[in-house]
Structures are given as structure tokens and as C-alpha cells.
């Protein structure tokens, strides 16, 4: 490891580190615009200039210069100060002075660094150039005159998202950043370029002119739009969540989030259930909490009660519902609302065991029944990294547009019974093989066949478990940990013909088999579940309550409450607690602290943030023979849950990016 001297202090730096990284290890701040830790080095902006000896007597770009033994680095010399002032002067030559109306104002790298490293005047008297606005879709607002050509957006699209949609045209002063053919950016991670842009060239179109950053309250939360459990920050003002930003968590989402996680939040203000409703003479009419509880008690369900949880429910709500059902003398609970049925006795057999961070090290990957770009887009980014390191990828299922080289083997589960020689050869030579089973594979009956390949493909080795299941629901693993499942799935609940069914935000259930049941919907949006309900009790969304969530790799995470629920809506657990009184049963808790304590006493793993230990896989024989066509469960990435379906932004994305509809302006 080389030793270098930074401003008179000698430090040891890792092999292969750059001068910029060496300076940061020494505690020195180096200004930069084009350099980003997760992107390749471009060396465009020249803002990170330092003085290095031995070397030419001129400032050098520290981001692109390797740190070598014996270097003397100066970050505070007069030469460096003058060079940085000059670079900043050049960057501002064509930049418009529109900070007061720029959405980046208050959190702009250019503002901050101009204050810290720039001159207080300019010597440029020529006309400023202007660049026409580019259309990058319904999510990204562009004012390209502000662009300083750092190319972060270009490198993100190519290297991380794997979609070559943004690039540079022309040269010198005429250079412009644009999408090819000036079309919308159509991939599911496109809006991350807004966070990457160090100036106000790329900003959020739906959030334009909504608020300044210092007006917002920031609350740590977890994304519930898929099962990845991305770490997010909810930015709210008053009782409204105005935007969502990613939080850095290298184990889960790094610092990216999907477009749906970022932009579905405007759906929190629309189609909300904020009143109690009861069905009378076939129509839902407004009522009171007292009326609703009396109507439920009047049904006298006794032991004939069931609870079905939706895809975005927190663990505390499911535990409270299970406690209520159990106190009534029933055990009818289920979270797999679309009717899927697979063994739940061994959670390691339905978990993403490799972990998101470790899947990057896989050298052979077999994906069964999963379109990762729509079901777990950030996991697809990890697989892309594995491919860059030499991994071979094979897919069983209908073809989809991957962002890396992959061989499709067919769309029938029977392929798993006799894998092609190319697959067996790749896995035979692999040190870290992985199989990823998705929701499409589970629905097609591929579970036993996939589990049987553990021995055949050598998926489990010392320190490595390559058997993985990808769920699509944020609530799924938490529900399975709580035992919120039936051996026969939702079909068993339908056979029991319960008098009372509690639907906890369950909007994807086929309610026809429950025609004779009293259906009580406890949720936050007037979606499919509310349309089928006999009684609607308005509840809080994920942004309006604290809660625990477990992602598809078995990672326990906690979210805080950002805003209050609208109208008469209440937090779910309080509704269930009041319902217990109406049904004259005791659930063992009276406040949230007691509820969480009871839950963690029953399932201790839910008390500790981090990966839960599910033990080892069950013993398996050879791959079971099965047949069945695989179909992917997500037809429209932007409209997969009730919040997204209520969001005007997501509706526009669906119309324009999925269905190819023309963008209509107001005058049209």
C-alpha cells in the first residue's frame, strides 16, 4: 500500500486509489462535479485540481490520477486556489443566473462550490449561449442551458441502468446532452439522473416549483412499491408528502430508487378513503365508526373470521389482525392475495438467501419466471454488475429486454427438468452459482423443480447459498415470519366460508368466492378491495404510520411516520384494537409500544434491524418434473398498487411509456 503526503500529513492509501480518494482519506475536501463514487471516471469538469510532486509544475485532475508511493499532494497552495477559481469561472461563463427560480436552489453543488472556490466577479463580456429544452419524458424536467457537461447522467444510463438512452451531441461550445432522437427516457430507473445532476439542468418535472428544500420535513422510511425494501426519505410539508428521495444503503439499494418509488407519492392525496362507508341497498353510503362496529358485531361472526393482508401492509398491522383472529378462535389468515400457494414451513426456502450485495459476486445465474426489470429493478442492477465481472445469465420464461447478455431457454417450466448442456456446463464450473425464482415461476408451479436443482446445480457451498426467491410484495416476508399464511393459500380460506373477512389493504383478491361473507375493507385507497367491500374503515398509508417491513432477502427495516392520515382515517392497529372491543375479545395490547413488544416477543427476529437468520434449506432430491407456461405477473410497471393507480404521474407514465400514447397539452 503506497504512502503519500497530503498537505504535510503522511498517510497510507489502498492500492489502486486515486489522488482524490487519498485526499479524502486525509480529511481534505476536494470539489468535484463529474466525479461520482459509483460511476466511471470521466475527468471532464477539472474542478478537482491539486498540485502533485513529482510531476509537471501545473495543477492535475485528482480524480483521474493514481496515488503512487512518495507523492506530495497540495490541496491548499496558491496555484490550486487560482486554478479552481479559473475552472469555476469557465463553468459559469454560459450558466444562466437563475438561481431564484431554479428547483435545484438550496441543494445545488454549483451554488455551494461557487461560494467556496469561485471568484466574486467574472471577466467574461461575450453573449451567453443558450440550449433548447430537451424532452426526456414525464418525469425529468430539462433546462439544458444550465448543463455543465459533467456527463453523470450519460454514465448512469450506460453503466448502472444499462440503457443507452442519453448521450452527447456535437463538440466544444456546441456540445449538448440529450436523449437519442429526443424521445422520453423509458427505463424504470430514469429519474435517478435528477439526484446525480450537480446543477439544475435535470430536475423533477412533477415536483417543479412545489417547494424549497428548507421548507420540508424529512422522515426516514421504506419503499413499499416492491419487495426490495429500498431506503427512502419522505419530504413533507404540512400534511402532504411532496417528494421522495433515496437514502444510501449499500446493502439494499445503494443510492438508487425506482421511478415508481419516487413518484407514486402524489397518489397519497388522491382517491383517499377518509370516511367510514357502509353498504346499504347495494350502495356504499357514508357512516360513522360506531355504526360500522355495531354492524360488524351484529353479524356475530364468532369463530368464523378471516384476515387477508395486502401487499403494502406493515408487520404490526398483520400481527394485530392475527391476534384479533386468534382471540376469536380462528386461524384463517393469508397474505398471498393473488392465490399463490407454496410451502412456508422453512423460510430459507422462500427467501433471497444470497443477499443483494453478494449476488454481484455470482458467476452463473439462472432466472426462473421473473422479469427483474419490472419486479425488482434494483436487483437487476446487481445482476448487471455480476455480468460485468464475467457471470453467465440464463432465463426461463417469456423473453424480456435485459440490460445484459442473457440466454433465454424457453417459457415452460419443463425446461428445468432437462437443462441444456450450456447451463449445466456453466454451473459445473461456477464457484458461486445462483438460481433466482420469481413470482411468475411460483405461479406456474416451478417451486419444487427449482428447489430440486439445489443439488443438481450445486447451489449451496461453504459460505454461499445460491437459492433465491424474489417476491413482488413488500409485506410478503414479514407475513411469512408472522405465520400469516395457510398451507392451501387463499383457496383454503374460501372453502371455510368465513362469516367475516377483514381485508387489510387487499386489492388484488378475487372476491367472488366470498360472496356470502361480510367483507370489511381496512385500507387507504378506494381501489378494487373497497369496491367489493360491505364496510369500509379508512386507514393510514405507509407514509402515515410507523411500521416494520421485511424485504425479499429477509432484512428487517423500520419506517417512521411522516404525516397524519386525512379525515377520519386512523392507523390500522388502532382500528383492529377498537374492533376487538366491538367483538368482545382481548388482543393483549392497548398502545403501539405494547403491540410491537408482543410482536417481537413472538418473533424475536423482528426486533433487530438487519438480515434475519432463517437457517438452512430443506433437504431436496432431484428436480421434480413439472409443466406449465410461465407468465409474468406485472403487465404495467407503473400501476402495480393502489397508490400508484391513484397517482396522476404514474398514470401519465403508463399511458406514454407503456402504451405509447401521445403527450397532450392543455390546449389540445
Amino acid at each position: 500500500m503506497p504512502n503519500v503526503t497530503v498537505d504535510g500529513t503522511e498517510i497510507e492509501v489502498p492500492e489502486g486509489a486515486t489522488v482524490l480518494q487519498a485526499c479524502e482519506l486525509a480529511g481534505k475536501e476536494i470539489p468535484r462535479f463529474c466525479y461520482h463514487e459509483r460511476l466511471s471516471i470521466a475527468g471532464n469538469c477539472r474542478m478537482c485540481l491539486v498540485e502533485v510532486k513529482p510531476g509537471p509544475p501545473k495543477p492535475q485532475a485528482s480524480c483521474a490520477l493514481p496515488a503512487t508511493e512518495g507523492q506530495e499532494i497540495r490541496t491548499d497552495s496558491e496555484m490550486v486556489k487560482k486554478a479552481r477559481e479559473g475552472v469555476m469561472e469557465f463553468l459559469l461563463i454560459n450558466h444562466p443566473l437563475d438561481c431564484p427560480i431554479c428547483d435545484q436552489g438550496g441543494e445545488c453543488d454549483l451554488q455551494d462550490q461557487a461560494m467556496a472556490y469561485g471568484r466574486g466577479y467574472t471577466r467574461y463580456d461575450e453573449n451567453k449561449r443558450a440550449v433548447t429544452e430537451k424532452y426526456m419524458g414525464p418525469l425529468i424536467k430539462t433546462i439544458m442551458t444550465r448543463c455543465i457537461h459533467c456527463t453523470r447522467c450519460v454514465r448512469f444510463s450506460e453503466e448502472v441502468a444499462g440503457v443507452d438512452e442519453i448521450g452527447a451531441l456535437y463538440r466544444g461550445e456546441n456540445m449538448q446532452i440529450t436523449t437519442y432522437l429526443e424521445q422520453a427516457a423509458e427505463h424504470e430507473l430514469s429519474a435517478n439522473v435528477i439526484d446525480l445532476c450537480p446543477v439544475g439542468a435535470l430536475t423533477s418535472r412533477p415536483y417543479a416549483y412545489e417547494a424549497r428544500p428548507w421548507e420540508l420535513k424529512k422522515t426516514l422510511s421504506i419503499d413499499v412499491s416492491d419487495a426490495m425494501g429500498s431506503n427512502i426519505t419522505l419530504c413533507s410539508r404540512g400534511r402532504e408528502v411532496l417528494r421522495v428521495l433515496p437514502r444510501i444503503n449499500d446493502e439494499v439499494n445503494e443510492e438508487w430508487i425506482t421511478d415508481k418509488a419516487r413518484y407514486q407519492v402524489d397518489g397519497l392525496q388522491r382517491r383517499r378513503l377518509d370516511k367510514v362507508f357502509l353498504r346499504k341497498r347495494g350502495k356504499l353510503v357514508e357512516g360513522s365508526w360506531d355504526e360500522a362496529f355495531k354492524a360488524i358485531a351484529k353479524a356475530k361472526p364468532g369463530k368464523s373470521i378471516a384476515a387477508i393482508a395486502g401487499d403494502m401492509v406493515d408487520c404490526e398491522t398483520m400481527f394485530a389482525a392475527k391476534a384479533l383472529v386468534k382471540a376469536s378462535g380462528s386461524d384463517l389468515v393469508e397474505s398471498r392475495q393473488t392465490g399463490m400457494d407454496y410451502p412456508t414451513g422453512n423460510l430459507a426456502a422462500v427467501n433471497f438467501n444470497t443477499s443483494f450485495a453478494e449476488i454481484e459476486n455470482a458467476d452463473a445465474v439462472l432466472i426462473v419466471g421473473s422479469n427483474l426489470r419490472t419486479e425488482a429493478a434494483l436487483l437487476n442492477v446487481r445482476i448487471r454488475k455480476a455480468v460485468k465481472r464475467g457471470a453467465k445469465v440464463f432465463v426461463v420464461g417469456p423473453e424480456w429486454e435485459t440490460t445484459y447478455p442473457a440466454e433465454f431457454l424457453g417459457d415452460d417450466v419443463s425446461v428445468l427438468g432437462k437443462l441444456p448442456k450450456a447451463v449445466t456446463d456453466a454451473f459445473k464450473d461456477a464457484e458461486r452459482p445462483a438460481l433466482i425464482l420469481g413470482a411468475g415461476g411460483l405461479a406456474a408451479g416451478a417451486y419444487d423443480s427449482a428447489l430440486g436443482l439445489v443439488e443438481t446445480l450445486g447451489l449451496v457451498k461453504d459460505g454461499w447459498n445460491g437459492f433465491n426467491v424474489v417476491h413482488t410484495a413488500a409485506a410478503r416476508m414479514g407475513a411469512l415470519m408472522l405465520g400469516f399464511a395457510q398451507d392451501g393459500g387463499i383457496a383454503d380460506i374460501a372453502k371455510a366460508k368465513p362469516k367475516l373477512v377483514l381485508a387489510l389493504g387487499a386489492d388484488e383478491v378475487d372476491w367472488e368466492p366470498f360472496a356470502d361473507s361480510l367483507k370489511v375493507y381496512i385500507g387507504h385507497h378506494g381501489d378494487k378491495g373497497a369496491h367489493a367491500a360491505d364496510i369500509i374503515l379508512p386507514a393510514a398509508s405507509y407514509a402515515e404510520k410507523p411500521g416494520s417491513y421485511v424485504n425479499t432477502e429477509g432484512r428487517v427495516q423500520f419506517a417512521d411516520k411522516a404525516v397524519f392520515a386525512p379525515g377520519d382515517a386512523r392507523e390500522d392497529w388502532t382500528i383492529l384494537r377498537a374492533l376487538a372491543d366491538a367483538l368482545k375479545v382481548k388482543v393483549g395490547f392497548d398502545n403501539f409500544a405494547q403491540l410491537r413488544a408482543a410482536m417481537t416477543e413472538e418473533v424475536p427476529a423482528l426486533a433487530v434491524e438487519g438480515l434475519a437468520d432463517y437457517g438452512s434449506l430443506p433437504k431436496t432430491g432431484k428436480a421434480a418434473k413439472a409443466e406449465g407456461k410461465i407468465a409474468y405477473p406485472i403487465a404495467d410497471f407503473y400501476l402495480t398498487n393502489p397508490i400508484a393507480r391513484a397517482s396522476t404521474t404514474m398514470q401519465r407514465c403508463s399511458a406514454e411509456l407503456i402504451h405509447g400514447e401521445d403527450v397532450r397539452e392543455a390546449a389540445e
Side-chain angles (χ1 to χ4, degrees), residues 247-259:
R247 277 191 290 136
I248 296 176
N249 187 330
D250 288 332
E251 301 300 316
V252 184
N253 57 307
E254 298 178 284
E255 59 185 84
W256 322 121
I257 52 173
T258 65
D259 292 349

Side-chain angles (χ1 to χ4, degrees), residues 142-278:
T142 63
I143 301 181
M144 301 311 292
T145 304
R146 298 172 183 161
C147 179
I148 61 169
H149 303 153
C150 70
T151 68
R152 280 186 181 183
C153 55
V154 177
R155 285 175 284 148
F156 171 82
S157 297
E158 291 179 355
E159 297 164 15
V160 179
V163 181
D164 294 342
E165 287 193 339
I166 302 178
L169 297 178
Y170 317 125
R171 300 179 67 186
E173 188 184 56
N174 297 318
M175 180 177 171
Q176 297 181 22
I177 303 293
T178 181
T179 51
Y180 295 112
L181 304 179
E182 297 199 14
Q183 293 179 337
E186 296 182 2
H187 62 89
E188 56 287 339
L189 300 171
S190 64
N192 285 291
V193 298
I194 294 167
D195 299 327
L196 287 171
C197 185
V199 296
L202 305 177
T203 57
S204 172
R205 188 178 289 273
Y207 177 69
Y209 310 124
E210 285 289 329
R212 286 300 195 184
W214 55 84
E215 299 177 300
L216 303 176
K217 182 184 80 171
K218 295 176 173 61
T219 307
L220 306 185
S221 190
I222 302 298
D223 171 44
V224 295
S225 65
D226 58 27
M228 290 288 293
S230 299
N231 289 210
I232 57 174
T233 299
L234 300 177
C235 301
S236 57
R237 183 177 60 191
R239 299 187 69 160
E240 184 177 356
V241 178
L242 293 177
R243 68 172 179 176
V244 170
L245 297 176
R247 277 191 290 136
I248 296 176
N249 187 330
D250 288 332
E251 301 300 316
V252 184
N253 57 307
E254 298 178 284
E255 59 185 84
W256 322 121
I257 52 173
T258 65
D259 292 349
K260 182 166 52 180
R262 187 186 297 267
Y263 285 115
Q264 69 174 6
V265 287
D266 67 323
L268 293 175
Q269 308 301 320
R270 296 173 174 84
R271 297 189 196 167
R272 285 303 300 266
L273 297 173
D274 58 358
K275 300 285 184 187
V276 174
F277 288 93
L278 295 90

Side-chain angles (χ1 to χ4, degrees), residues 16 25 88 94 139-140 145 162 193 205 221 247 261 270 287 316 343 349 424 448 466-467 528 552 589 642 645 652:
L25 285 172
M88 180 60 71
N94 287 308
L139 303 179
I140 306 170
T145 304
V193 298
R205 188 178 289 273
S221 190
R247 277 191 290 136
R270 296 173 174 84
E316 285 81 0
T424 54
D448 290 333
F467 183 80
K528 301 170 187 174
T552 195
F589 56 85
R645 289 191 284 267
R652 182 173 176 182

Side-chain angles (χ1 to χ4, degrees), residues 375-394:
E375 295 171 27
L378 295 172
L379 175 59
N380 195 60
V381 169
R382 303 273 193 177
I383 302 295
R384 179 173 162 77
K385 285 188 186 179
V387 171
K388 283 184 176 180
R389 294 172 180 171
K392 294 181 180 178
V393 178
F394 305 92

Side-chain angles (χ1 to χ4, degrees), residues 304 306 308 332-334 486 488-499 501 509-517:
S304 187
I308 301 172
L332 297 175
V333 291
E334 182 56 74
Q486 297 285 307
I490 207 166
D492 272 11
I493 294 182
K495 284 179 189 173
K497 297 188 181 301
K499 287 184 181 179
V501 178
V509 176
D510 177 10
W511 291 108
E512 194 175 335
F514 299 94
D516 298 329
S517 304

Side-chain angles (χ1 to χ4, degrees), residues 318-526:
M318 289 186 284
F319 179 80
K322 188 180 178 185
L324 174 60
V325 170
K326 187 178 179 181
S328 301
S330 173
D331 61 355
L332 297 175
V333 291
E334 182 56 74
S335 63
R336 295 165 294 179
Q337 53 175 336
T338 55
M340 279 196 291
D341 177 26
Y342 43 81
T344 58
N346 185 320
L347 291 185
V350 289
N351 183 50
F352 197 93
N353 296 293
T354 305
S355 83
F356 298 150
E358 281 300 309
I359 197 67
E360 295 178 8
N361 299 318
D363 43 15
V365 181
L366 175 62
I367 301 171
V368 180
S370 182
N371 179 343
L372 291 179
R373 285 187 63 178
T374 59
E375 295 171 27
L378 295 172
L379 175 59
N380 195 60
V381 169
R382 303 273 193 177
I383 302 295
R384 179 173 162 77
K385 285 188 186 179
V387 171
K388 283 184 176 180
R389 294 172 180 171
K392 294 181 180 178
V393 178
F394 305 92
V395 184
V396 178
E399 292 195 18
W400 49 279
E401 192 175 337
T402 60
T403 56
Y404 39 77
E407 184 179 339
F408 286 84
L409 307 176
D411 61 357
D412 199 289
V413 176
S414 59
V415 173
L416 300 178
K418 192 176 181 182
L419 291 169
K421 188 173 184 298
V423 179
T424 54
D425 287 350
F427 274 80
K428 184 173 64 177
D429 299 334
E431 293 181 11
R432 295 175 296 279
L435 182 147
I436 298 174
L437 177 62
L442 290 170
Y447 177 81
D448 290 333
S449 299
L451 196 59
L453 290 173
V454 170
E455 295 289 337
T456 309
L457 300 180
L459 298 178
V460 178
K461 305 176 186 290
D462 286 341
W464 179 266
N465 186 338
F467 183 80
N468 304 294
V469 176
V470 175
H471 299 289
T472 56
R476 183 73 74 246
M477 285 307 295
L480 296 179
M481 288 176 74
L482 289 165
F484 212 91
Q486 297 285 307
D487 285 341
I490 207 166
D492 272 11
I493 294 182
K495 284 179 189 173
K497 297 188 181 301
K499 287 184 181 179
L500 173 63
V501 178
L502 303 176
L504 310 173
D507 288 287
E508 318 299 334
V509 176
D510 177 10
W511 291 108
E512 194 175 335
F514 299 94
D516 298 329
S517 304
L518 177 67
K519 297 175 284 294
V520 178
Y521 181 80
I522 303 173
H524 42 78
H525 275 78

